Amino acid sequence: MAKNIKKPLIGCPVRYAAGVFGDKWSFILLRDMLLHGKRYYGEFLASEEGIATNVLAARLLKLEEAGMIHREIDQHKKSKVCYTPTAKARGLLPAFLAMMVWSTEYDEDTEAPQSFAPAFREHPKETIAWYEAEIDRVNAQISAASHGAIQSDSTPPDK
């Protein structure tokens, strides 16, 4: 079967992915949305990596044009814009989690807890489902706040 696979096809999926989120900043923005619950320009700007405002604006636009994020004006405060990951971006969640596992093995300074890798390996579907639910919770919390509703039982996502 391997003889039937043409070499150029092997690089195509990686090339597409690299074109969509292959630069450092797009990758970090997707990480912040998917794993850290960040949704607003100021939250991205405050990330410890220190992205410049012009780069941030350009990468958010690039991700929006690629169908990775959705941009919406906050209905409660019109000067705020909320960015949410689309289903296309959320499809990367298993890859991001696998990279966290990889980091626990090879990065001495990783921020991923050592307990994460064994838990993910043992229960990958449950771990992915937990992060999916967390994304939904953050989106619902922001949507409710944007439309003036108050949710007393929700807590901010862990950072």
Side-chain angles (χ1 to χ4, degrees):
M1 186 176 285
K3 293 178 185 179
N4 295 335
I5 297 175
K6 296 180 181 178
K7 226 175 190 173
L9 293 177
I10 294 171
C12 291
V14 173
R15 194 171 332 132
Y16 173 74
V20 172
F21 62 88
D23 68 89
K24 169 186 173 178
W25 296 115
S26 295
F27 197 75
I28 288 171
L29 291 172
L30 288 169
R31 176 209 63 190
D32 285 350
M33 282 185 216
L34 295 171
L35 303 178
H36 298 296
K38 294 183 182 183
R39 298 290 185 270
Y40 294 99
Y41 192 90
E43 292 175 325
F44 301 125
L45 200 57
S47 291
E48 68 182 53
E49 288 85 8
I51 189 170
T53 57
N54 62 324
V55 175
L56 175 57
R59 292 315 182 273
L60 288 170
L61 180 60
K62 177 183 173 186
L63 290 170
E64 184 182 7
E65 288 172 348
M68 299 296 285
I69 63 174
H70 177 72
R71 180 183 189 276
E72 183 178 351
I73 304 295
D74 187 302
Q75 296 302 309
H76 186 66
K77 188 173 181 182
K78 303 282 187 195
S79 63
K80 286 184 89 172
V81 175
C82 181
Y83 298 91
T84 55
T86 63
K88 185 176 179 180
R90 289 172 71 149
L92 292 170
L93 193 54
F96 273 89
L97 297 177
M99 284 187 275
M100 285 175 58
V101 169
W102 180 83
S103 292
T104 64
E105 295 175 12
Y106 296 102
D107 180 7
E108 294 175 4
D109 300 321
T110 185
E111 294 176 20
Q114 289 298 317
S115 61
F116 176 79
F120 180 75
R121 284 189 188 107
E122 191 170 328
H123 304 287
K125 290 181 182 178
E126 292 85 349
T127 306
I128 293 166
W130 185 87
Y131 277 94
E132 285 283 358
E134 192 65 9
I135 291 168
D136 290 339
R137 186 191 65 76
V138 170
N139 289 347
Q141 181 181 2
I142 289 170
S143 180
S146 174
H147 293 92
I150 298 173
Q151 291 183 331
S152 60
D153 63 341
S154 62
T155 57
D158 292 335
K159 303 273 180 193

